[in-house]
């Protein structure tokens, strides 16, 4: 694997390999010394052009557990705010000697540009680009689902037949896109539930069913209920009248949560808007995987960093 | 041409002898933990643990596991990316006598990596090394305590170890070299 830019181009075997390596990485957290010497001497740059705490911290923890050196770069307070271009930033990082670049950018496709441009010869990991993709989030979601279903016998398994319902702002959500591609590659049946104003204009090429009624979706008894965050920073249009109406129609409130099968996993990529897309009772229940997702995020990102940065990069 | 050096019966005899030697040097099975290095070392470790169990009677239930060393290799950035195998360490290794098991001892670099890996799990009282085949050509100051067969070889030759659990058939062969 040379870069990790999207889940759309990720094959089934590649995805399962990544999840299996993540299982090995998860075991590291249970040991006396929670650190591997694997990426000693490698430099990973967290290049964040958009605000993020959990993703950046997660990548930082993952790189440090593999003994890589981490440089955090956020656009605020950097030369980017003075008008430096992506090209100059990339060439600066190349001159510093970065082996891996984890990039988050408000423009869809920015990681792809970085990977194809030849400005920098590092492994590129997409940590969220615009409304395009967020592959490590989808991978950690798949990892979390697989672990809840199969426990310690997860290795080598896919998600065949698992019914996943993704609810919320599909239009702006890179998490939803990455999940649609990855989960369907792994054999899951994905359905999307959203207000009609928050569904992309054309989803005919997506391997997912689109619906508008959350109550119907709840009564179908899915295996996984994934709530998306309402991203206030992207709500520049009137997509729905107000947040109370959204919560009432498309939020997982206490009554809908009570109607779910007891085995249904409740997932959320975080940070949660409690009381808007998810109620506190649902978020704090035993069915909620929110904290597991955070823990598993580190393991999955360790796996991605390992697969990208170890090995002779000339040959791959 | 591949020449068979050990057949199935030879392998079983070698492992039986190694099991007895481990018990002799440890004076019983107390405090013992057998850790194999995947893939074939882990298979051999399970067999040795089972043999020790049957020699000592049911009182001896020797903990056995697998110790993957992929993340500790010293050639990670020189070869293609390797897929790690699961590690399973049965309980704490603090104060235990750990016997590492591998199929072939060659440069010694795998064992160096295994010692590093072990270090991150705790502090064993002693670490011993058991191998099915020692083919020489050490690049590090490492030696085996229990050896199934010493097999002087040239670096141009290839040693193949097949075990029933992983390969279906079972033999140790040597091929290539002078030809």
């Amino acid at each position: 694997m040379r870069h990790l830019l999207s889940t759309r181009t990720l094959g089934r075997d590649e995805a399962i390999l990544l999840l299996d390596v993540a299982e090995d990485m998860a075991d590291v957290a249970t040991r006396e010394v929670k650190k591997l010497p694997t990426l000693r001497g490698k430099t990973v740059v967290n290049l964040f052009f958009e605000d993020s705490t959990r993703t950046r911290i997660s990548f930082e923890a993952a790189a440090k557990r593999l003994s890589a050196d981490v440089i955090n770069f956020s656009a605020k307070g950097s030369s980017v705010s003075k008008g430096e271009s992506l090209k100059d930033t990339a060439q600066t990082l190349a001159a510093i000697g970065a082996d891996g670049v984890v990039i988050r950018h408000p423009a869809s496709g920015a990681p792809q540009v970085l990977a194809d441009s030849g400005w920098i010869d590092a492994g590129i990991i997409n940590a969220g680009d615009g409304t395009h993709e967020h592959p490590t989030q989808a991978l950690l979601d798949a990892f979390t689902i697989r672990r809840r279903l199969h426990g310690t016998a997860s290795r080598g398994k896919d998600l065949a037949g698992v019914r996943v319902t993704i609810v919320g702002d599909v239009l702006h959500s890179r998490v939803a896109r990455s999940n649609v591609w990855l989960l369907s590659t792994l054999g899951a049946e994905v359905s999307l539930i959203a207000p009609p104003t928050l569904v992309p204009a054309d989803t005919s090429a997506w391997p997912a069913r689109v619906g508008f009624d959350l109550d119907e979706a709840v009564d179908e008894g899915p295996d996984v209920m994934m709530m998306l965050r309402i991203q206030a920073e992207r709500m520049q249009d009137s997509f729905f009248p107000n947040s109370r109406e959204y919560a009432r129609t498309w939020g997982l409130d206490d009554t809908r949560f009570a109607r779910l099968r007891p085995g249904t996993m409740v997932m959320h990529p975080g940070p949660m808007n409690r009381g808007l897309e998810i109620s506190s009772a649902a978020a704090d229940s035993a069915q909620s995987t929110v904290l597991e997702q955070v823990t598993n995020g580190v393991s999955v990102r360790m796996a991605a960093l390992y697969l990208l940065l170890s090995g002779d990069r000339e040959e791959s | 041409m591949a020449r068979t050096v050990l057949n199935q019966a030879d392998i079983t005899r070698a492992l039986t002898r190694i099991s007895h030697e481990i018990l002799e040097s440890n004076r019983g099975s107390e405090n013992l933990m057998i850790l194999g290095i995947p893939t074939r070392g882990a298979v051999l470790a399970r067999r040795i643990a089972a043999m020790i169990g049957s020699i000592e009677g049911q009182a001896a239930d020797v903990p056995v596991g697998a110790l993957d060393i992929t993340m500790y290799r010293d050639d990670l950035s020189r070869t293609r990316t390797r897929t790690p195998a699961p590690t399973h360490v049965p309980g704490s290794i603090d104060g235990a006598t750990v016997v590492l098991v591998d199929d072939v001892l060659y440069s010694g670099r795998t064992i160096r990596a295994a010692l590093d890996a072990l270090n991150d799990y705790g502090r064993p009282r002693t670490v011993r090394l058991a191998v099915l085949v020692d083919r020489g050509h050490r690049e590090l100051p490492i030696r085996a305590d229990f050896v199934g067969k010493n097999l002087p070889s040239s670096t141009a030759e290839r040693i193949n170890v097949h075990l029933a659990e992983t390969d279906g058939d079972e033999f140790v062969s040597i091929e290539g070299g002078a030809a």
Side-chain angles (χ1 to χ4, degrees), chain A residues 17 21 24-25 27 31-33 35-38 42 66 155 306-307 310-313 315, chain B residues 70-72 76-87 94 117 119-123:
Chain A
L17 168 69
V21 173
D24 298 324
M25 297 299 182
D27 291 343
R31 309 186 326 186
E32 187 162 309
V33 178
K35 203 172 169 83
L36 292 168
T38 315
K42 306 263 185 195
L66 290 170
R155 282 188 180 83
Y306 168 70
L307 290 174
S310 79
D312 186 349
R313 290 186 55 79
E315 278 178 29
Chain B
T70 310
M71 298 292 161
Y72 293 87
L76 277 171
S77 55
R78 286 164 215 277
T79 57
R80 64 184 172 76
T81 304
R82 293 164 190 270
T83 308
T87 288
D94 287 330
N119 215 15
D120 286 352
Y121 282 90
R123 186 177 184 277

Side-chain angles (χ1 to χ4, degrees), chain A residues 65-135:
Chain A
R65 281 205 185 151
L66 290 170
S67 304
D69 296 311
V70 184
I71 299 174
N72 285 314
F73 178 106
S74 72
K76 268 186 201 145
S78 74
S79 301
V80 173
S81 53
K82 299 175 192 161
E84 190 178 55
S85 69
L86 183 59
K87 178 177 178 177
D88 289 327
T89 307
Q91 286 175 335
T92 305
L93 298 180
I96 286 171
D99 300 287
V101 175
V102 176
I103 177 173
R104 164 164 292 194
H105 201 282
S108 303
Q112 185 82 49
V113 169
L114 214 53
D116 294 342
S117 59
W119 298 329
I120 183 167
D121 183 43
I124 311 290
I125 297 184
N126 180 0
D129 59 334
T131 59
H132 175 227
E133 285 228 36
H134 190 356

